[in-house]
Amino acid sequence: MSSAYPEVYLVRHGQTEWSLSGRHTGRTDIPLTAAGEEAARKVAGRLPAIDFAAVWSSPSQRAQNTCALAGFGDRRVVKDDLAEWDYGAYEGITTKAILAERPGWQVFRDGCPNGETAADVGARADRIIGELRGIDGSVLIFSSAHFLRVFAARWVGLPPEGGEHLVLDTTSISVLGYEHDLTEPVIRRWNEV
């Protein structure tokens, strides 16, 4: 289904050792695995032939390298607000290990000690959305899972915590857009792998 209105294509970065093992990877800047690089090279072939008005990336090397391997590195503009959730004290730790110390913990509800809350991430997503609404054309964004989940929730007017209901696989492609007019933001496609 195509749209007469601009669309925002979201690409989660390729696989890393930490995404593979389930470790929270916020600001730790680790590379893609060989499998992550191979999947990133296939992203361009999975996107429609669109002349994107802008291509934006998180500052992380995993997002920037996914962008470059997909063939968009020469057009990439790095946006600090696209960075992954800052997990603070939970950086590099799996959810299972966190739950062993803090039963019932949920990142979207509880945030991270010495890191960000969902509201913090939502404020960054809102700034990006504000910039997007001023662009005439479709935009391609490369970032990380938790940020993109909050971003999608904010796009459709949900609180940042609404991102807990959306899941993203590595090198997945999702599309945000509009329904009847520019006042009706929607999720057009989600987590295509």
Side-chain angles (χ1 to χ4, degrees):
M1 181 190 317
S2 62
S3 173
Y5 301 105
E7 294 178 318
V8 181
Y9 284 75
L10 308 176
V11 178
R12 181 182 174 198
H13 64 77
Q15 179 192 82
T16 68
E17 289 295 334
W18 282 17
S19 66
L20 186 59
S21 64
R23 294 169 69 179
H24 285 86
T25 317
R27 305 303 163 88
T28 303
D29 207 11
I30 61 175
L32 300 174
T33 62
E37 290 176 354
E38 182 60 28
R41 286 185 194 94
K42 294 177 180 175
V43 166
R46 296 172 42 220
L47 291 167
I50 292 177
D51 183 19
F52 291 102
V55 177
W56 294 349
S57 174
S58 157
S60 73
Q61 71 169 306
R62 60 192 181 274
Q64 290 192 60
N65 289 344
T66 300
C67 178
L69 290 167
F72 296 94
D74 60 331
R75 301 206 40 221
R76 172 187 61 220
V77 173
V78 173
K79 299 278 187 178
D80 289 341
D81 278 339
L82 291 173
E84 178 60 303
W85 197 306
D86 182 347
Y87 298 116
Y90 293 157
E91 183 75 11
I93 301 174
T94 65
T95 298
K96 182 179 179 179
I98 296 167
L99 290 172
E101 296 293 319
R102 190 172 168 190
W105 174 81
Q106 293 178 342
V107 69
F108 287 93
R109 182 190 62 219
D110 303 320
C112 301
N114 303 314
E116 288 183 303
T117 65
D120 297 328
V121 180
R124 292 193 287 112
D126 288 347
R127 288 193 296 267
I128 293 291
I129 291 169
E131 284 188 70
L132 286 170
R133 297 260 161 85
I135 294 177
D136 183 21
S138 294
V139 176
L140 178 60
I141 293 176
F142 292 83
S143 189
S144 298
H146 278 137
F147 175 82
L148 291 174
R149 291 167 66 179
V150 170
F151 180 82
R154 295 302 301 137
W155 178 265
V156 296
L158 295 174
E161 296 82 2
E164 75 178 323
H165 302 290
L166 304 169
V167 174
L168 283 174
D169 295 312
T170 54
T171 58
S172 61
I173 298 172
S174 301
V175 183
L176 308 179
Y178 301 92
E179 190 168 13
H180 300 106
D181 60 43
L182 296 177
T183 67
E184 296 182 6
V186 296
I187 298 172
R188 298 188 63 82
R189 292 186 290 287
W190 193 255
N191 198 39
E192 294 182 346
V193 291

